[in-house]
Amino acid sequence: MSHTAVPAVPLPIRIPIREIVPWAVFVVLLALIALYFVSTEQGATSVFANNYVHEFVHDGRHLLAFPCH
């Protein structure tokens, strides 16, 4: 008696978009906040007083080619 093997058909992977969208929005919001602090947090547009944030992100600002001097 010979049995023929039936090839297994892979099922498509379902991506739950409704579960991913809130996390994607959250990550984009965090990225925009980080970009704000690295790029424009200084001088007249600063949210925080003093230069603490500016000095904290200073090297990252130069690494990303944002001028600050």
Side-chain angles (χ1 to χ4, degrees), residues 20-67:
I20 293 175
V21 169
W23 289 103
V25 169
F26 178 67
V27 168
V28 167
L29 182 66
L30 285 180
L32 288 174
I33 290 171
L35 183 64
Y36 167 77
F37 280 114
V38 171
S39 64
T40 60
E41 176 63 29
Q42 71 178 24
T45 62
S46 71
V47 174
F48 300 105
N50 300 328
N51 282 334
Y52 296 129
V53 175
H54 173 80
E55 293 301 325
F56 183 73
V57 297
H58 189 96
D59 292 336
R61 181 181 303 246
H62 289 297
L63 181 68
L64 295 173
F66 286 105

